[in-house]
Amino acid sequence: MLANMPPRSPRATMKDVAALARVSPKTVSNVVTGSAQVSEPTRQRVEDAMRQLDFVPNLSARTLRNGRTGIIGLALPDLSTAFSADLTHAVVQEAHRRGQAVQIEETAAEPDREHDLVSRARAHLIDGLILNPVRLEDSAVEHEESLPPVVLIGEVEQTRTDRVFIDSRRAAEEVTAHMLSRGARRLVALGGAEHGERATATARLRLQGFRDAHAAAGLSSAPERELGVWPWSIGGGAEAVEQLVSAGVEFDGIVAFTDSIAMGARHALHRHGLSVPDDVLLSGFDDVEHAAYSIPPLTTVGFDHHDYAVAALDLLAARLDDRSRATRAEPIAHRLIVRGSTGDPGAAPRGHRPA
Amino acid sequence: MLANMPPRSPRATMKDVAALARVSPKTVSNVVTGSAQVSEPTRQRVEDAMRQLDFVPNLSARTLRNGRTGIIGLALPDLSTAFSADLTHAVVQEAHRRGQAVQIEETAAEPDREHDLVSRARAHLIDGLILNPVRLEDSAVEHEESLPPVVLIGEVEQTRTDRVFIDSRRAAEEVTAHMLSRGARRLVALGGAEHGERATATARLRLQGFRDAHAAAGLSSAPERELGVWPWSIGGGAEAVEQLVSAGVEFDGIVAFTDSIAMGARHALHRHGLSVPDDVLLSGFDDVEHAAYSIPPLTTVGFDHHDYAVAALDLLAARLDDRSRATRAEPIAHRLIVRGSTGDPGAAPRGHRPA
DNA sequence: CTCACCATTTACAACGATGTAAGATCACTG
DNA sequence: CAGTGATCTTACATCGTTGTAAATGGTGAG
């Protein structure tokens, strides 16, 4: 189908098309962008010429001229987690639907990467940035005078940028309450920060919800059962549980702050002969595809990843149209998804008792 | 730290820096690129000026001038799989080390996306493309007269482009032989195409290896135990096993063509009361992080994802330097990783026998 | 003191697309 | 048949950077 094409070492430009169609370059531009009226016969000639030369507009030139690249940046802490994969998938799909391309960045490995991205905005090559902040939290955003178009995802305790979030505190409270109702009495929070340490807003809020649920049930959570996890990955989750066990802490349920952490936890529990949910209840966060297929299926907090992506892209698009509009925070609905990993009503977990 | 900055609505350009440093724009350019000698005092003045104005070179302009963006495209069929996440992670990390950014694309959803990517090369905004072909296989590549710099990953049966691959046939043969040695006699290939259907080269080769292992053992594989899977995801794997069971096929081991497929298969087996490895042996491909943490841990074919990314980026860089050099195919070493999902020596699986 | 010669630095013109404003064309109206 | 719009097309300048070639300044030899 593409066989009978002229050998095209240097790609055809508007000037070439114009010459072939016997019009000016600007007319070609008008045909391409549709930004001005072009008579039917002229349009035909131009379109034929474009087809004949396999013309593709040079985006660099267009960008240089009018300032927009059509590329948005997506910066996530760790691209290898299941949630990152899901989110990337959703963002790329939705961005493509809008004619935008996605440039992807990873921030966790390098301390200054987030700051760089925000402050340089990839040297004009991206129009805006969707950022899941971890390291600098809001500080990169705080210190900049004039921000590039940025949408933060996840909880952030400031109002200077647009953001999309789920109510992590409430969600954590719900999942914790659920596990208490299933008979757990010594719940572990996996992902909350150690005391005094810096933590992401997300971690803080989930920990808060965990505690709130205890308080509402007339119980209280124990400091030795509030564990930090780093990184928030399968390996991190497994390691945290190893520590928990070797520290001789008694527990009968684990509220992991991501599904990946939960998967790691389950592995470590298994290694120590502890079964889910008979001995220990287990829940996660994010509802990645894998959660439903785990054995037993994982109880988790779910929300629509696609909605999340749409909301972020909407906010970004609106910001690009009007840089000075008031910032908005878009909440995304979540729901508790109860599956086998938190057992059955009336059957309390046996719990882990150190020898 | 960034507090005392001048309010900068329009970003500073080289001209601004030049004015402040009392030199010509070209001298600023020379300082930035290091492409010509600049005396020490002048360099100092220019660098001070750049710092003062927080100068960031405009990549669009640079690209327009010299044709390179520093962005490479990464096109994968399905971004939500664990393997995609791992590979993306590796490519982004390695590309960043080389000062390149990664633009990500997803090809499975749309038939013509691959072809578009190859033929338009994102309208000059990417320097080259790393492509995991699924749909068009090599045909997009076949039909183009002059190709943009492309590196294909995975097996492809042609020699017109650079490519990185593992020896899928051999790997499949090894893992299959291993399972036969563990006592399985009715192995299922999960991911090979149905007869007469178009399949990716990867699928064909893995199926070939599966058969070769049988032949080498004096056995033969049965057509009803060679199943196509679509998509190559957890859900696809689960569905395929459901079909297998409801079709009343007898089997005692599953060679899944990706780890995700294996995970889905394990879920479906569990649903039918079949245990891994006591009733059915199970293996995957790719060694994603999750495989080691699964219960039981998954036997799989592993290879270094980072090496894979490095090789692809090396080939692409070499191609960018010399477009007319001969194409190269870079093999990546693989190894069989035996874990619990294929049982223990001497303990053959009980197998699944339809009622 | 002049001249050749080196190291730096500069002016200018691209790269390709598009906004602006001016020019061309044509159909009508008075 | 000149005049008035309305419609379409064009010339020109510009976005920010960098290759080319020419200009500048300073140094040491003659």
Side-chain angles (χ1 to χ4, degrees):
Chain A
M1 55 175 128
L2 291 164
N4 52 357
M5 235 160 238
R8 57 186 148 80
S9 305
R11 190 65 95 164
T13 73
M14 283 198 172
K15 213 190 283 183
D16 303 328
V17 175
L20 185 59
R22 316 190 134 275
V23 295
S24 78
K26 177 69 223 229
T27 298
V28 178
S29 170
N30 288 336
V31 170
V32 172
T33 63
S35 56
Q37 285 289 348
V38 177
S39 67
E40 201 44 41
T42 311
R43 146 168 290 117
Q44 279 302 339
R45 283 215 317 286
V46 171
E47 282 175 349
D48 286 352
M50 293 200 299
R51 217 162 298 128
Q52 214 172 122
L53 298 174
D54 189 31
F55 170 73
V56 179
N58 183 322
L59 289 197
S60 291
R62 181 178 289 171
T63 297
L64 177 58
R65 188 57 235 240
N66 61 21
R68 287 226 197 159
T69 60
I71 306 182
I72 61 156
L74 174 63
L76 302 174
D78 180 355
L79 293 174
S80 61
T81 67
F83 179 60
S84 289
D86 264 21
L87 191 60
T88 303
H89 173 76
V91 169
V92 168
Q93 211 166 46
E94 184 61 21
H96 180 236
R97 221 182 51 72
R98 300 165 185 228
Q100 297 175 310
V102 177
Q103 184 172 309
I104 195 162
E105 313 271 358
E106 192 167 38
T107 55
E110 262 179 85
D112 295 333
R113 194 97 186 95
E114 273 182 34
H115 179 265
D116 266 22
L117 285 170
V118 171
S119 94
R120 327 308 285 244
R122 247 319 266 185
H124 306 249
L125 266 186
I126 61 176
D127 292 339
L129 188 62
I130 297 179
L131 173 66
N132 185 354
V134 170
R135 193 72 132 189
L136 301 180
E137 200 64 47
D138 26 0
S139 63
V141 168
E142 297 269 309
H143 287 84
E144 283 289 323
E145 301 265 320
S146 70
L147 289 168
V150 176
V151 174
L152 298 181
I153 62 185
E155 276 95 352
V156 181
E157 286 149 340
Q158 51 82 35
T159 56
R160 293 201 53 222
T161 54
D162 295 309
R163 52 210 183 285
V164 185
F165 65 98
I166 64 166
D167 187 343
S168 271
R169 196 209 54 78
R170 189 139 209 288
E173 186 175 5
E174 288 166 12
V175 70
T176 307
H178 161 71
M179 291 171 82
L180 291 173
S181 82
R182 286 285 165 94
R185 279 300 170 272
R186 296 173 206 290
L187 285 174
V188 174
L190 219 55
E194 278 119 34
H195 291 278
E197 208 185 293
R198 279 194 60 156
T200 64
T202 301
R204 279 197 299 274
L205 288 165
R206 292 185 184 173
L207 184 56
Q208 188 57 52
F210 176 80
R211 289 172 178 165
D212 291 351
H214 281 82
L219 305 166
S220 70
S221 68
E224 74 270 20
R225 288 197 292 269
E226 294 174 356
L227 265 74
V229 173
W230 189 259
W232 275 21
S233 65
I234 302 181
E239 199 188 321
V241 168
E242 291 293 346
Q243 280 174 23
L244 189 70
V245 170
S246 66
V249 177
E250 193 177 342
F251 63 93
D252 56 10
I254 295 180
V255 179
F257 285 8
T258 72
D259 286 348
S260 288
I261 293 175
M263 296 299 172
R266 193 190 45 139
H267 175 81
L269 290 173
H270 184 77
R271 251 179 49 82
H272 290 280
L274 293 167
S275 132
V276 174
D278 296 338
D279 297 314
V280 178
L281 305 188
L282 178 64
S283 69
F285 246 98
D286 297 339
D287 191 30
V288 299
E289 186 186 16
H290 200 101
Y293 289 93
S294 152
I295 298 176
L298 187 66
T299 291
T300 190
V301 173
F303 56 95
D304 192 305
H305 300 336
H306 192 256
D307 286 355
Y308 212 70
V310 169
L313 286 166
D314 279 348
L315 283 177
L316 199 52
R319 165 73 44 204
L320 288 170
D321 281 349
D322 175 7
R323 302 234 173 175
S324 61
R325 74 153 167 66
T327 60
R328 292 208 310 261
E330 203 71 52
I332 300 293
H334 67 263
R335 67 184 204 288
L336 179 63
I337 300 174
V338 176
R339 299 202 182 98
S341 72
T342 43
D344 295 302
R350 285 193 289 263
H352 165 65
R353 290 207 178 65
Chain B
M1 53 177 128
L2 292 164
N4 52 357
M5 233 160 239
R8 54 183 152 85
S9 305
R11 189 64 96 165
T13 73
M14 283 197 173
K15 212 189 284 183
D16 303 327
V17 175
L20 184 59
R22 317 188 133 275
V23 296
S24 78
K26 179 70 225 234
T27 299
V28 179
S29 169
N30 288 336
V31 170
V32 172
T33 62
S35 55
Q37 283 290 349
V38 177
S39 69
E40 199 45 42
T42 311
R43 148 169 287 117
Q44 277 303 338
R45 284 214 316 287
V46 171
E47 281 175 348
D48 286 350
M50 292 201 298
R51 217 163 297 127
Q52 215 173 117
L53 297 174
D54 188 32
F55 170 73
V56 179
N58 183 322
L59 290 196
S60 291
R62 180 177 294 171
T63 297
L64 176 58
R65 189 56 236 242
N66 60 21
R68 287 224 198 161
T69 59
I71 306 182
I72 60 156
L74 174 64
L76 302 174
D78 180 355
L79 293 174
S80 60
T81 66
F83 178 61
S84 289
D86 264 21
L87 190 60
T88 303
H89 173 77
V91 168
V92 168
Q93 213 166 45
E94 184 60 19
H96 179 235
R97 220 181 52 71
R98 300 163 185 230
Q100 296 176 311
V102 177
Q103 185 173 307
I104 194 162
E105 313 271 358
E106 193 168 37
T107 55
E110 263 178 86
D112 295 333
R113 195 98 187 95
E114 271 181 36
H115 179 264
D116 267 19
L117 286 170
V118 172
S119 91
R120 328 306 286 241
R122 239 327 260 182
H124 306 247
L125 265 187
I126 61 176
D127 292 339
L129 187 63
I130 298 179
L131 173 67
N132 185 353
V134 170
R135 193 72 134 189
L136 301 180
E137 201 63 47
D138 26 359
S139 64
V141 167
E142 298 270 310
H143 286 85
E144 281 291 322
E145 300 266 319
S146 70
L147 288 168
V150 176
V151 174
L152 298 182
I153 62 185
E155 276 97 351
V156 180
E157 287 149 338
Q158 51 82 34
T159 57
R160 293 202 53 221
T161 55
D162 295 310
R163 51 209 184 283
V164 185
F165 65 97
I166 63 167
D167 187 342
S168 271
R169 196 208 55 77
R170 188 138 211 289
E173 185 175 6
E174 287 165 13
V175 70
T176 305
H178 161 71
M179 290 170 82
L180 291 172
S181 82
R182 286 285 165 93
R185 280 300 169 274
R186 297 174 204 290
L187 285 174
V188 174
L190 219 55
E194 278 118 35
H195 290 278
E197 208 185 295
R198 281 193 58 157
T200 63
T202 300
R204 279 197 299 274
L205 288 166
R206 292 186 184 173
L207 184 56
Q208 188 57 52
F210 176 81
R211 290 174 178 164
D212 291 351
H214 280 81
L219 304 168
S220 72
S221 67
E224 74 269 22
R225 287 197 291 270
E226 294 174 358
L227 266 74
V229 173
W230 189 260
W232 276 20
S233 65
I234 302 180
E239 200 187 320
V241 169
E242 291 294 346
Q243 281 174 22
L244 190 68
V245 170
S246 64
V249 177
E250 193 176 342
F251 63 94
D252 56 10
I254 295 180
V255 179
F257 285 8
T258 72
D259 287 349
S260 288
I261 292 176
M263 296 299 171
R266 193 190 46 137
H267 175 81
L269 291 173
H270 184 78
R271 251 179 51 82
H272 288 280
L274 294 167
S275 135
V276 174
D278 295 339
D279 296 315
V280 178
L281 305 188
L282 178 65
S283 69
F285 245 97
D286 296 340
D287 192 30
V288 300
E289 186 187 16
H290 200 101
Y293 290 93
S294 151
I295 297 174
L298 187 67
T299 290
T300 189
V301 173
F303 56 95
D304 193 307
H305 299 337
H306 192 256
D307 286 354
Y308 212 70
V310 169
L313 286 166
D314 279 348
L315 283 177
L316 199 52
R319 166 74 43 202
L320 288 171
D321 281 350
D322 175 7
R323 303 235 173 172
S324 60
R325 73 153 169 67
T327 59
R328 291 209 311 260
E330 202 70 55
I332 300 293
H334 67 264
R335 69 185 204 289
L336 179 63
I337 300 175
V338 176
R339 300 205 183 97
S341 70
T342 42
D344 296 302
R350 284 193 291 263
H352 165 65
R353 292 208 176 65

